[in-house]
Amino acid sequence: MNEKFFTLSKERQQAILNAGYRVFSQNTYKKCPVSEIAAAAGISKSLLFYYFRNKKELYLYLWENCVKTTIKYMNDYHCYEQTDLFEMLRRGMQAKIRIMYEYPDIGLFAVKAFYEKDPEVADDIQKSYNRFKNLDAKDALEKVDPRQFREGLNIQMIYREMYLAAEGYLWEMLRPGHIDTKKMKQDFTEMIEFWKQIYLRNPEPVPHPDIHNRKEET
Protein backbone atom coordinates (compact mmCIF):
# COMPACT_ATOMS: atom_id res chain seq x y z
CA MET A 1 0.00 0.00 0.00
CA ASN A 2 0.99 3.63 -0.42
CA GLU A 3 2.53 4.98 2.80
CA LYS A 4 0.91 8.34 2.06
CA PHE A 5 -2.31 6.86 3.45
CA PHE A 6 -0.73 7.30 6.90
CA THR A 7 -0.06 11.00 6.25
CA LEU A 8 -3.81 11.57 6.20
CA SER A 9 -5.46 12.80 9.37
CA LYS A 10 -6.76 10.13 11.72
CA GLU A 11 -10.29 11.25 10.87
CA ARG A 12 -9.76 10.75 7.12
CA GLN A 13 -8.09 7.38 7.65
CA GLN A 14 -10.95 6.24 9.85
CA ALA A 15 -13.55 7.44 7.34
CA ILE A 16 -11.93 5.36 4.59
CA LEU A 17 -11.61 2.30 6.81
CA ASN A 18 -15.19 2.59 8.06
CA ALA A 19 -16.39 2.86 4.46
CA GLY A 20 -14.52 -0.35 3.66
CA TYR A 21 -15.89 -2.15 6.70
CA ARG A 22 -19.42 -1.03 5.87
CA VAL A 23 -19.39 -2.11 2.22
CA PHE A 24 -17.49 -5.37 2.68
CA SER A 25 -19.74 -6.34 5.59
CA GLN A 26 -22.81 -6.22 3.36
CA ASN A 27 -21.83 -8.76 0.73
CA THR A 28 -19.18 -11.25 -0.41
CA TYR A 29 -15.72 -10.05 -1.38
CA LYS A 30 -16.38 -10.55 -5.07
CA LYS A 31 -19.66 -8.65 -5.08
CA CYS A 32 -18.38 -5.54 -3.28
CA PRO A 33 -17.42 -2.80 -5.78
CA VAL A 34 -14.50 -0.55 -4.87
CA SER A 35 -16.39 2.39 -6.35
CA GLU A 36 -19.02 1.98 -3.63
CA ILE A 37 -16.35 2.07 -0.93
CA ALA A 38 -14.84 5.22 -2.44
CA ALA A 39 -18.27 6.88 -2.58
CA ALA A 40 -18.98 5.96 1.05
CA ALA A 41 -15.61 7.45 2.04
CA GLY A 42 -16.28 10.63 0.06
CA ILE A 43 -13.30 10.21 -2.28
CA SER A 44 -12.79 9.19 -5.90
CA LYS A 45 -12.10 5.61 -6.91
CA SER A 46 -8.75 6.66 -8.39
CA LEU A 47 -7.72 8.24 -5.09
CA LEU A 48 -8.67 5.09 -3.21
CA PHE A 49 -6.46 3.12 -5.60
CA TYR A 50 -3.73 5.67 -4.96
CA TYR A 51 -3.69 4.58 -1.31
CA PHE A 52 -4.37 0.88 -1.94
CA ARG A 53 -3.09 -0.74 -5.13
CA ASN A 54 -6.08 -3.01 -5.57
CA LYS A 55 -9.18 -4.42 -3.92
CA LYS A 56 -7.33 -7.34 -2.32
CA GLU A 57 -4.77 -5.07 -0.67
CA LEU A 58 -7.55 -2.92 0.80
CA TYR A 59 -9.48 -5.96 2.04
CA LEU A 60 -6.46 -7.55 3.72
CA TYR A 61 -5.46 -4.23 5.26
CA LEU A 62 -8.94 -3.90 6.73
CA TRP A 63 -8.58 -7.39 8.21
CA GLU A 64 -5.10 -6.67 9.62
CA ASN A 65 -6.36 -3.43 11.11
CA CYS A 66 -9.22 -5.38 12.68
CA VAL A 67 -6.75 -7.81 14.26
CA LYS A 68 -4.31 -5.14 15.45
CA THR A 69 -7.10 -2.98 16.84
CA THR A 70 -8.51 -5.96 18.74
CA ILE A 71 -5.09 -6.76 20.23
CA LYS A 72 -4.58 -3.12 21.20
CA TYR A 73 -7.88 -2.81 23.02
CA MET A 74 -7.55 -6.22 24.64
CA ASN A 75 -4.21 -5.06 26.05
CA ASP A 76 -5.61 -1.66 27.02
CA TYR A 77 -8.33 -3.41 29.03
CA HIS A 78 -5.72 -5.79 30.56
CA CYS A 79 -7.68 -8.83 29.38
CA TYR A 80 -4.70 -11.17 29.20
CA GLU A 81 -3.31 -10.23 32.61
CA GLN A 82 -6.23 -11.78 34.49
CA THR A 83 -6.05 -15.00 36.49
CA ASP A 84 -9.85 -15.15 36.61
CA LEU A 85 -11.22 -16.53 33.34
CA PHE A 86 -14.57 -14.79 33.75
CA GLU A 87 -12.96 -11.42 34.46
CA MET A 88 -10.91 -11.96 31.31
CA LEU A 89 -14.13 -12.55 29.35
CA ARG A 90 -15.82 -9.51 30.89
CA ARG A 91 -12.93 -7.22 30.00
CA GLY A 92 -12.80 -8.75 26.53
CA MET A 93 -16.46 -7.89 26.05
CA GLN A 94 -15.82 -4.29 27.13
CA ALA A 95 -12.89 -4.03 24.72
CA LYS A 96 -14.92 -5.31 21.76
CA ILE A 97 -17.80 -2.97 22.48
CA ARG A 98 -15.34 -0.05 22.59
CA ILE A 99 -13.96 -1.13 19.20
CA MET A 100 -17.48 -1.17 17.74
CA TYR A 101 -17.99 2.45 18.81
CA GLU A 102 -14.90 3.40 16.81
CA TYR A 103 -15.64 1.11 13.86
CA PRO A 104 -19.40 0.36 13.85
CA ASP A 105 -19.24 -2.27 11.08
CA ILE A 106 -16.01 -3.99 12.10
CA GLY A 107 -17.76 -6.86 13.89
CA LEU A 108 -19.86 -7.86 10.90
CA PHE A 109 -16.86 -7.43 8.61
CA ALA A 110 -14.76 -9.75 10.81
CA VAL A 111 -17.39 -12.49 10.69
CA LYS A 112 -17.87 -12.07 6.93
CA ALA A 113 -14.12 -12.14 6.32
CA PHE A 114 -13.63 -15.21 8.48
CA TYR A 115 -16.17 -17.17 6.44
CA GLU A 116 -15.15 -15.68 3.08
CA LYS A 117 -14.57 -18.40 0.49
CA ASP A 118 -13.09 -16.38 -2.38
CA PRO A 119 -9.64 -17.93 -3.13
CA GLU A 120 -8.17 -14.49 -3.70
CA VAL A 121 -8.32 -13.67 0.02
CA ALA A 122 -9.57 -16.74 1.96
CA ASP A 123 -6.17 -18.36 2.63
CA ASP A 124 -4.59 -15.09 3.77
CA ILE A 125 -7.45 -14.44 6.18
CA GLN A 126 -7.26 -17.92 7.73
CA LYS A 127 -3.47 -17.78 8.14
CA SER A 128 -3.73 -14.41 9.85
CA TYR A 129 -6.58 -15.62 12.07
CA ASN A 130 -4.66 -18.69 13.20
CA ARG A 131 -1.63 -16.59 14.14
CA PHE A 132 -3.81 -14.30 16.21
CA LYS A 133 -5.81 -17.10 17.84
CA ASN A 134 -2.69 -18.98 18.89
CA LEU A 135 -1.16 -15.79 20.25
CA ASP A 136 -3.92 -14.79 22.64
CA ALA A 137 -5.61 -17.99 23.84
CA LYS A 138 -2.52 -20.05 24.71
CA ASP A 139 -0.73 -17.38 26.75
CA ALA A 140 -3.90 -16.15 28.45
CA LEU A 141 -5.06 -19.58 29.62
CA GLU A 142 -1.71 -20.27 31.25
CA LYS A 143 -2.41 -17.41 33.69
CA VAL A 144 -5.80 -18.72 34.76
CA ASP A 145 -5.92 -20.11 38.31
CA PRO A 146 -7.36 -23.68 38.04
CA ARG A 147 -8.30 -23.74 41.74
CA GLN A 148 -11.36 -21.57 41.07
CA PHE A 149 -13.06 -24.34 39.07
CA ARG A 150 -14.86 -27.48 40.11
CA GLU A 151 -12.57 -30.48 40.46
CA GLY A 152 -11.83 -32.45 37.31
CA LEU A 153 -12.75 -29.79 34.78
CA ASN A 154 -10.54 -29.06 31.78
CA ILE A 155 -9.92 -25.30 31.52
CA GLN A 156 -9.10 -25.43 27.82
CA MET A 157 -12.36 -27.24 27.12
CA ILE A 158 -14.26 -24.67 29.21
CA TYR A 159 -12.66 -21.85 27.26
CA ARG A 160 -13.38 -23.59 23.96
CA GLU A 161 -17.05 -24.04 24.84
CA MET A 162 -17.47 -20.42 25.94
CA TYR A 163 -15.57 -19.16 22.88
CA LEU A 164 -17.83 -21.08 20.50
CA ALA A 165 -20.94 -19.96 22.38
CA ALA A 166 -19.79 -16.33 22.19
CA GLU A 167 -19.05 -16.67 18.47
CA GLY A 168 -22.49 -18.14 17.86
CA TYR A 169 -24.11 -15.36 19.86
CA LEU A 170 -22.17 -12.72 17.94
CA TRP A 171 -23.26 -14.24 14.65
CA GLU A 172 -26.91 -14.09 15.72
CA MET A 173 -26.49 -10.47 16.79
CA LEU A 174 -24.93 -9.59 13.43
CA ARG A 175 -27.59 -11.20 11.26
CA PRO A 176 -29.81 -8.06 11.20
CA GLY A 177 -26.83 -6.14 9.84
CA HIS A 178 -25.90 -4.19 12.97
CA ILE A 179 -24.99 -4.74 16.61
CA ASP A 180 -26.98 -3.47 19.58
CA THR A 181 -24.03 -2.92 21.94
CA LYS A 182 -26.27 -2.26 24.96
CA LYS A 183 -28.10 -5.57 24.50
CA MET A 184 -24.81 -7.34 23.77
CA LYS A 185 -23.35 -6.11 27.08
CA GLN A 186 -26.45 -7.15 29.03
CA ASP A 187 -26.73 -10.58 27.41
CA PHE A 188 -23.05 -11.36 27.72
CA THR A 189 -23.02 -10.35 31.39
CA GLU A 190 -25.87 -12.82 31.98
CA MET A 191 -23.96 -15.52 30.07
CA ILE A 192 -20.90 -15.00 32.26
CA GLU A 193 -22.97 -15.29 35.43
CA PHE A 194 -24.55 -18.49 34.07
CA TRP A 195 -21.12 -20.01 33.33
CA LYS A 196 -19.91 -19.08 36.80
CA GLN A 197 -22.74 -21.10 38.37
CA ILE A 198 -21.80 -24.13 36.27
CA TYR A 199 -18.02 -24.15 36.46
CA LEU A 200 -16.84 -22.35 39.61
CA ARG A 201 -16.03 -24.33 42.74
CA ASN A 202 -17.72 -21.76 44.99
CA PRO A 203 -19.96 -19.52 42.85
CA GLU A 204 -21.64 -16.53 44.42
CA PRO A 205 -25.44 -16.91 44.68
CA VAL A 206 -27.42 -15.15 41.97
CA PRO A 207 -30.24 -12.93 43.36
CA HIS A 208 -33.73 -13.94 42.30
CA PRO A 209 -35.13 -11.48 39.70
CA ASP A 210 -38.19 -10.76 41.84
CA ILE A 211 -36.00 -9.79 44.79
CA HIS A 212 -33.87 -7.59 42.53
CA ASN A 213 -36.96 -5.85 41.16
CA ARG A 214 -38.41 -5.26 44.61
CA LYS A 215 -35.15 -3.62 45.71
CA GLU A 216 -35.25 -1.32 42.71
CA GLU A 217 -38.87 -0.36 43.46
CA THR A 218 -38.00 0.59 47.02
mmCIF file of all heavy atoms in Angstrom, residues 69-79 81 91 95:
data_model
loop_
_atom_site.group_PDB
_atom_site.id
_atom_site.type_symbol
_atom_site.label_atom_id
_atom_site.label_comp_id
_atom_site.label_asym_id
_atom_site.label_seq_id
_atom_site.Cartn_x
_atom_site.Cartn_y
_atom_site.Cartn_z
ATOM 1 N N THR A 69 -6.259 -3.788 15.964
ATOM 2 C CA THR A 69 -7.102 -2.975 16.840
ATOM 3 C C THR A 69 -7.636 -3.819 17.997
ATOM 4 O O THR A 69 -7.687 -3.354 19.150
ATOM 5 C CB THR A 69 -8.281 -2.369 16.048
ATOM 6 O OG1 THR A 69 -7.765 -1.560 14.987
ATOM 7 C CG2 THR A 69 -9.165 -1.520 16.942
ATOM 8 N N THR A 70 -8.025 -5.061 17.694
ATOM 9 C CA THR A 70 -8.509 -5.962 18.743
ATOM 10 C C THR A 70 -7.422 -6.231 19.769
ATOM 11 O O THR A 70 -7.661 -6.165 20.985
ATOM 12 C CB THR A 70 -8.987 -7.291 18.123
ATOM 13 O OG1 THR A 70 -10.036 -7.038 17.195
ATOM 14 C CG2 THR A 70 -9.491 -8.234 19.214
ATOM 15 N N ILE A 71 -6.204 -6.516 19.308
ATOM 16 C CA ILE A 71 -5.087 -6.762 20.226
ATOM 17 C C ILE A 71 -4.824 -5.540 21.094
ATOM 18 O O ILE A 71 -4.625 -5.646 22.309
ATOM 19 C CB ILE A 71 -3.820 -7.150 19.438
ATOM 20 C CG1 ILE A 71 -4.004 -8.512 18.762
ATOM 21 C CG2 ILE A 71 -2.602 -7.188 20.351
ATOM 22 C CD1 ILE A 71 -2.870 -8.894 17.836
ATOM 23 N N LYS A 72 -4.842 -4.364 20.461
ATOM 24 C CA LYS A 72 -4.575 -3.125 21.202
ATOM 25 C C LYS A 72 -5.582 -2.924 22.326
ATOM 26 O O LYS A 72 -5.203 -2.657 23.482
ATOM 27 C CB LYS A 72 -4.620 -1.923 20.255
ATOM 28 C CG LYS A 72 -4.434 -0.577 20.965
ATOM 29 C CD LYS A 72 -4.636 0.581 20.022
ATOM 30 C CE LYS A 72 -4.406 1.917 20.722
ATOM 31 N NZ LYS A 72 -5.314 2.111 21.884
ATOM 32 N N TYR A 73 -6.864 -3.055 21.998
ATOM 33 C CA TYR A 73 -7.877 -2.812 23.015
ATOM 34 C C TYR A 73 -7.909 -3.919 24.070
ATOM 35 O O TYR A 73 -8.187 -3.655 25.244
ATOM 36 C CB TYR A 73 -9.253 -2.633 22.374
ATOM 37 C CG TYR A 73 -9.478 -1.229 21.869
ATOM 38 C CD1 TYR A 73 -9.325 -0.919 20.524
ATOM 39 C CD2 TYR A 73 -9.821 -0.204 22.743
ATOM 40 C CE1 TYR A 73 -9.518 0.378 20.054
ATOM 41 C CE2 TYR A 73 -10.018 1.093 22.289
ATOM 42 C CZ TYR A 73 -9.853 1.376 20.944
ATOM 43 O OH TYR A 73 -10.035 2.658 20.490
ATOM 44 N N MET A 74 -7.631 -5.139 23.670
ATOM 45 C CA MET A 74 -7.547 -6.224 24.645
ATOM 46 C C MET A 74 -6.425 -5.942 25.644
ATOM 47 O O MET A 74 -6.572 -6.179 26.853
ATOM 48 C CB MET A 74 -7.295 -7.557 23.946
ATOM 49 C CG MET A 74 -8.485 -8.090 23.177
ATOM 50 S SD MET A 74 -9.850 -8.563 24.260
ATOM 51 C CE MET A 74 -10.692 -9.758 23.238
ATOM 52 N N ASN A 75 -5.317 -5.424 25.161
ATOM 53 C CA ASN A 75 -4.213 -5.062 26.052
ATOM 54 C C ASN A 75 -4.554 -3.842 26.892
ATOM 55 O O ASN A 75 -4.229 -3.778 28.086
ATOM 56 C CB ASN A 75 -2.936 -4.811 25.242
ATOM 57 C CG ASN A 75 -2.334 -6.092 24.692
ATOM 58 O OD1 ASN A 75 -2.440 -7.150 25.310
ATOM 59 N ND2 ASN A 75 -1.701 -6.012 23.531
ATOM 60 N N ASP A 76 -5.217 -2.853 26.273
ATOM 61 C CA ASP A 76 -5.610 -1.655 27.022
ATOM 62 C C ASP A 76 -6.534 -1.996 28.182
ATOM 63 O O ASP A 76 -6.490 -1.343 29.237
ATOM 64 C CB ASP A 76 -6.310 -0.657 26.091
ATOM 65 C CG ASP A 76 -5.341 0.022 25.125
ATOM 66 O OD1 ASP A 76 -4.115 -0.131 25.302
ATOM 67 O OD2 ASP A 76 -5.816 0.689 24.178
ATOM 68 N N TYR A 77 -7.395 -2.997 27.980
ATOM 69 C CA TYR A 77 -8.327 -3.414 29.028
ATOM 70 C C TYR A 77 -7.740 -4.515 29.920
ATOM 71 O O TYR A 77 -8.447 -5.087 30.745
ATOM 72 C CB TYR A 77 -9.645 -3.888 28.401
ATOM 73 C CG TYR A 77 -10.563 -2.749 28.017
ATOM 74 C CD1 TYR A 77 -10.367 -2.037 26.837
ATOM 75 C CD2 TYR A 77 -11.622 -2.373 28.841
ATOM 76 C CE1 TYR A 77 -11.206 -0.984 26.478
ATOM 77 C CE2 TYR A 77 -12.466 -1.319 28.488
ATOM 78 C CZ TYR A 77 -12.248 -0.627 27.300
ATOM 79 O OH TYR A 77 -13.075 0.415 26.958
ATOM 80 N N HIS A 78 -6.461 -4.821 29.726
ATOM 81 C CA HIS A 78 -5.725 -5.794 30.557
ATOM 82 C C HIS A 78 -6.400 -7.168 30.593
ATOM 83 O O HIS A 78 -6.399 -7.850 31.623
ATOM 84 C CB HIS A 78 -5.581 -5.256 31.987
ATOM 85 C CG HIS A 78 -4.971 -3.878 32.049
ATOM 86 N ND1 HIS A 78 -3.623 -3.641 31.820
ATOM 87 C CD2 HIS A 78 -5.526 -2.657 32.281
ATOM 88 C CE1 HIS A 78 -3.375 -2.347 31.921
ATOM 89 N NE2 HIS A 78 -4.514 -1.726 32.190
ATOM 90 N N CYS A 79 -6.958 -7.559 29.449
ATOM 91 C CA CYS A 79 -7.678 -8.834 29.385
ATOM 92 C C CYS A 79 -6.763 -10.016 29.692
ATOM 93 O O CYS A 79 -7.147 -10.950 30.405
ATOM 94 C CB CYS A 79 -8.298 -9.015 28.002
ATOM 95 S SG CYS A 79 -9.491 -7.732 27.571
ATOM 96 N N GLU A 81 -4.057 -10.249 31.356
ATOM 97 C CA GLU A 81 -3.310 -10.231 32.613
ATOM 98 C C GLU A 81 -4.103 -10.892 33.744
ATOM 99 O O GLU A 81 -3.589 -11.031 34.858
ATOM 100 C CB GLU A 81 -2.963 -8.788 32.998
ATOM 101 C CG GLU A 81 -2.124 -8.064 31.956
ATOM 102 C CD GLU A 81 -1.980 -6.581 32.270
ATOM 103 O OE1 GLU A 81 -2.198 -6.215 33.443
ATOM 104 O OE2 GLU A 81 -1.654 -5.806 31.355
ATOM 105 N N ARG A 91 -13.764 -8.299 30.536
ATOM 106 C CA ARG A 91 -12.932 -7.222 29.998
ATOM 107 C C ARG A 91 -12.852 -7.322 28.467
ATOM 108 O O ARG A 91 -12.801 -6.302 27.774
ATOM 109 C CB ARG A 91 -11.540 -7.273 30.616
ATOM 110 C CG ARG A 91 -11.510 -6.828 32.079
ATOM 111 C CD ARG A 91 -10.148 -7.071 32.703
ATOM 112 N NE ARG A 91 -10.115 -6.672 34.098
ATOM 113 C CZ ARG A 91 -9.580 -5.518 34.541
ATOM 114 N NH1 ARG A 91 -9.034 -4.676 33.668
ATOM 115 N NH2 ARG A 91 -9.583 -5.221 35.822
ATOM 116 N N ALA A 95 -13.825 -4.449 25.773
ATOM 117 C CA ALA A 95 -12.892 -4.032 24.724
ATOM 118 C C ALA A 95 -13.558 -4.081 23.348
ATOM 119 O O ALA A 95 -13.426 -3.149 22.541
ATOM 120 C CB ALA A 95 -11.645 -4.910 24.742
#
